[in-house]
Amino acid sequence: MSDSLSIPAEARVVLETIRARRSIQQIYYLPDPVPQEYLEMMLEAANWAPTHGQTEPWRFTVFAGEARRALGEKFAESYRLGTPPEAFEIAKYEQQLSRVWKVPVWIALGMQVGTNPKIPEWEEVAAVAAAVQNMQLVARSLGLGTFWASGMPVRHENTARFVGLEPPHKLLGFLMVGYPATPWPEGKRGDWREKVSWRLG
């Protein structure tokens, strides 16, 4: 970034937080609980995401502590329901049961489908994605790692019903949240200038 213009310190902090955000896979979390206040701050940030028509389509369900047991059972059940019998593997079924214990917090990412024909579904998906990004940035500022899980068992309609999302409303996955057990990973992106065209004047 050019230093020829005086950039407000607040803007630099925001950009550095965005640059530092990382997806932390589920095998790299400490078991330490996440403070309730941190989760509430993340969820409030999500609520300020841009939303066309002010539909606010995001719906979240937070799982922590012993509540993760029922969630793991539902993941396993959804894996069984969504897998053809000839492809079913007991090891993968058991992985769904146990995966919830690898991360201290799981947040279901729901989308409430609206009825306004002027607002297409893709815009509601985009609004939820923006809300999740807000959560991830606040999490990073608090020293927390996150990962948006979107595999079949975590999005299956059986799991969706478990978190209170009946059709046509949809489950877009789960956000894992916790303290990283490894050094914060370095990020890498191509030069943004190579992805931008300017048409000025």
Side-chain angles (χ1 to χ4, degrees):
M1 179 181 294
S2 173
D3 290 324
S4 60
L5 180 67
S6 178
I7 304 295
E10 294 86 349
R12 293 187 182 276
V13 169
V14 171
L15 179 56
E16 286 307 311
T17 301
I18 292 171
R19 283 175 170 170
R21 184 212 57 80
R22 295 289 173 271
S23 294
I24 309 293
Q25 296 183 5
Q26 68 179 26
I27 60 173
Y28 299 118
Y29 286 91
L30 295 171
D32 306 34
V34 176
Q36 176 79 14
E37 293 81 3
Y38 286 11
L39 296 173
E40 291 175 358
M41 188 175 183
M42 291 170 57
L43 293 162
E44 181 180 359
N47 200 47
W48 284 103
T51 163
H52 186 190
Q54 296 184 326
T55 58
E56 302 178 26
W58 42 81
R59 296 293 182 272
F60 305 117
T61 305
V62 182
F63 292 85
E66 187 60 26
R68 289 174 294 169
R69 184 179 306 280
L71 181 62
E73 291 171 353
K74 195 58 59 174
F75 285 165
E77 184 178 76
S78 294
Y79 166 74
R80 178 180 58 78
L81 291 171
T83 304
E86 64 275 12
F88 179 86
E89 297 180 30
I90 189 63
K92 291 184 177 180
Y93 176 88
E94 292 174 347
Q95 285 174 358
Q96 296 300 324
L97 285 171
S98 63
R99 67 184 300 191
V100 293
W101 304 112
K102 299 178 185 295
V103 185
V105 179
W106 294 72
I107 303 177
L109 308 174
M111 181 190 73
Q112 182 168 280
V113 176
T115 58
N116 186 341
K118 294 183 178 180
I119 301 179
E121 185 175 297
W122 75 264
E123 291 188 354
E124 302 291 61
V125 173
V128 175
V132 174
Q133 173 81 341
N134 282 4
M135 281 199 286
Q136 290 179 307
L137 294 177
V138 170
R140 174 61 189 100
S141 72
L142 295 169
L144 295 166
T146 57
F147 188 95
W148 188 337
S150 58
M152 182 272 289
V154 304
R155 293 184 297 103
H156 194 277
E157 61 182 17
N158 180 58
T159 307
R161 287 192 171 93
F162 175 68
V163 300
L165 294 166
E166 295 287 342
H169 310 312
K170 298 183 178 181
L171 178 60
L172 303 182
F174 279 75
L175 189 69
M176 306 176 194
V177 184
Y179 291 102
T182 60
W184 199 264
E186 293 290 332
K188 184 177 181 181
R189 291 289 189 277
D191 191 330
W192 65 269
R193 298 170 186 83
E194 298 174 0
K195 305 164 190 173
V196 178
S197 297
W198 299 87
R199 299 186 182 186
L200 307 174

